[in-house]
Amino acid sequence: VLPSEYTDVLKTLQDDVPGFSGKRAKEIISREFGKPCDDIFTDFSEEPLAAASLGQVHTATYKGRKVAIKVQRAGLKELFDVDLKNLKKLAELLDKFDPKTDGADRDWVSIYEESERLLYLEIDYINEAENSVRFSRDFVDVPWVRVPEVYRDVSTPRVLTMEFVESFKLTNIARIEQ
């Protein structure tokens, strides 16, 4: 849809994010569940499988099954709280001072409020789990769609545990064409 010069830059926003340590990931998991990570998972990977701006994915074993554990970066919600508070002030100022000389009837505060709602949903891994389950139900009869099982008993708003499924990035066009 977009030219490669744009998509190449957008890919760096996903791929060039440094991970945090496996030790830190285990601390986050332990805090979320109120007990040591090693009491829940075995064979926890010290190195993340992938890292992104909101969190990273580690592999482990849970009840004899290989799982992928998505761990949210520490302090992310608090960072959102501060940034969104400042953006709301900006939206309020724009509502007061936007001359709307182009004829548009913009409500900057409403735009901000909808964006805020969506951003908080984006960092709620329980919401992501529910979306995954719904997606799985919607595509249950499509043989080429495979959705990993969600382990709700070891998922929280900041930790999402799913069945590990070997895969590749959908941006890998050469692999898709094989």
Side-chain angles (χ1 to χ4, degrees), residues 2 12-13 19 23 25 31 37 39 51-52 59-60 62 75 81 88 96 101 104 137 142 150 153-154 163:
L2 294 173
T12 66
L13 298 175
K23 180 180 181 219
R31 188 174 56 246
C37 176
D39 288 356
T59 59
Y62 177 67
D81 291 342
K88 185 170 187 177
K96 286 181 184 173
T101 55
R137 264 193 326 261
V142 180
V150 173
D153 56 327
V154 282
E163 167 190 16

Side-chain angles (χ1 to χ4, degrees), residues 68-71 125 128-129 150 154-156 158-162:
I69 308 165
K70 186 173 178 180
V71 182
Y125 290 172
E128 184 172 336
V150 173
V154 282
S155 294
T156 72
R158 294 182 181 181
V159 174
L160 176 60
T161 305
M162 302 175 78

